[in-house]
Amino acid sequence: DIQMTQSPSSLSASVGDRVTITCRASQGISNYLAWFQQKPGKAPKSLIYAASSLQSGVPSKFSGSGSGTDFTLTISSLQPEDFATYYCQQYNSFPFTFGGGTKVEIK
Amino acid sequence: EVQLVESGGGLVQPGRSLRLSCTASGFTFGDYGVSWVRQAPGKGLEWVGFIRSKAYGGTTEYAASVKGRFTISREDSKSIAYLQLNSLKTEDTAVYYCARNNGYTPGWQIDYWGQGTLVTVSS
């Protein structure tokens, strides 16, 4: 199985900050990487697929990059509604696997 | 508007069974794959399994933790996917989400999620 490792597991940031979250796969997954946002008590929301393509309706402040084993999610200017937990997921091969999550908190 | 609504969760004793439903609307259900993902209380997301669309054989994949106990099926005429949970264990306690997998781009990426249904396994 492919292991997905996210870092950091949590971070504190201020409104307006640029935030970067990394996700590393235990083996190459090409660009079959998705990012999701989850707020407390809510279902996850899809943000990015194919490592860098925005889902419909997702604001351009979110961006993704990477290929192979190393990926990043960047939020260009953190807003109050962006405080949440973010997960990566590989869908290159079964079983599809998620990273452990990165909780973005208010500083 | 794409919608996925899970139902069927509840309190069940260890060793018993439960069937969850995922009712879809707003799109041609049969053209898409469906994933089930769970989240134990206070924990991260765990992929449970997946069913392909009929165009890709309607076949299924499962996580090792549930293989042989859980079964995913679909009834395209009703726009419903099912997750049959057998031989339940306390560690299966979680919110169960269904999600739509879009196969129109390479791979089976998740684009929409349901709101989830809570399954509690306890005596």
Side-chain angles (χ1 to χ4, degrees):
Chain A
D1 297 2
I2 298 174
Q3 309 303 316
M4 304 301 292
T5 303
Q6 283 183 239
S7 60
S9 57
S10 66
L11 65 90
S12 295
S14 301
V15 171
D17 283 352
R18 180 183 180 89
V19 168
T20 298
I21 299 168
T22 64
C23 179
R24 175 165 289 175
S26 60
Q27 61 190 76
I29 59 170
S30 185
N31 68 334
Y32 293 102
L33 191 283
W35 289 98
F36 306 100
Q37 175 194 64
Q38 187 179 34
K39 297 180 180 179
K42 300 295 186 182
K45 174 186 175 183
S46 299
L47 296 178
I48 287 172
Y49 67 98
S52 60
S53 297
L54 286 181
Q55 291 284 358
S56 175
V58 174
S60 58
K61 62 181 172 181
F62 293 97
S63 63
S65 65
S67 183
T69 60
D70 294 316
F71 302 87
T72 61
L73 172 70
T74 299
I75 309 172
S76 60
S77 177
L78 203 63
Q79 297 302 305
E81 62 269 20
D82 303 327
F83 291 94
T85 300
Y86 293 84
Y87 295 92
C88 62
Q89 185 211 26
Q90 68 82 17
Y91 56 100
N92 178 75
S93 61
F94 293 104
F96 291 170
T97 42
F98 289 91
T102 296
K103 187 174 184 179
V104 177
E105 299 176 300
I106 301 173
K107 183 182 284 184
Chain B
E1 180 192 7
V2 172
Q3 284 197 315
L4 299 164
V5 178
E6 301 92 338
S7 59
L11 175 63
V12 61
Q13 293 178 327
R16 304 297 290 265
S17 298
L18 203 61
R19 188 178 78 164
L20 307 183
S21 299
C22 171
T23 302
S25 61
F27 64 100
T28 304
F29 179 75
D31 290 348
Y32 292 83
V34 176
S35 284
W36 287 91
V37 175
R38 68 183 180 182
Q39 186 168 38
K43 302 297 185 182
L45 301 175
E46 180 187 11
W47 181 82
V48 172
F50 168 73
I51 186 165
R52 295 173 179 82
S53 62
K54 289 286 169 48
Y56 290 88
T59 51
T60 53
E61 307 285 346
Y62 298 96
S65 58
V66 307
K67 196 168 187 178
R69 298 189 300 123
F70 291 7
T71 302
I72 300 172
S73 60
R74 62 189 301 154
E75 195 168 359
D76 290 351
S77 63
K78 295 184 178 180
S79 297
I80 300 177
Y82 301 100
L83 178 63
Q84 178 70 39
L85 298 80
N86 295 334
S87 304
L88 281 161
K89 306 175 182 181
T90 56
E91 54 263 41
D92 294 320
T93 294
V95 174
Y96 285 75
Y97 298 99
C98 67
R100 188 180 87 165
N101 289 85
N102 189 336
Y104 285 96
T105 55
W108 287 100
Q109 48 105 355
I110 288 175
D111 56 5
Y112 289 94
W113 296 75
Q115 87 288 348
T117 188
L118 175 63
V119 173
T120 303
V121 184
S122 174
S123 54

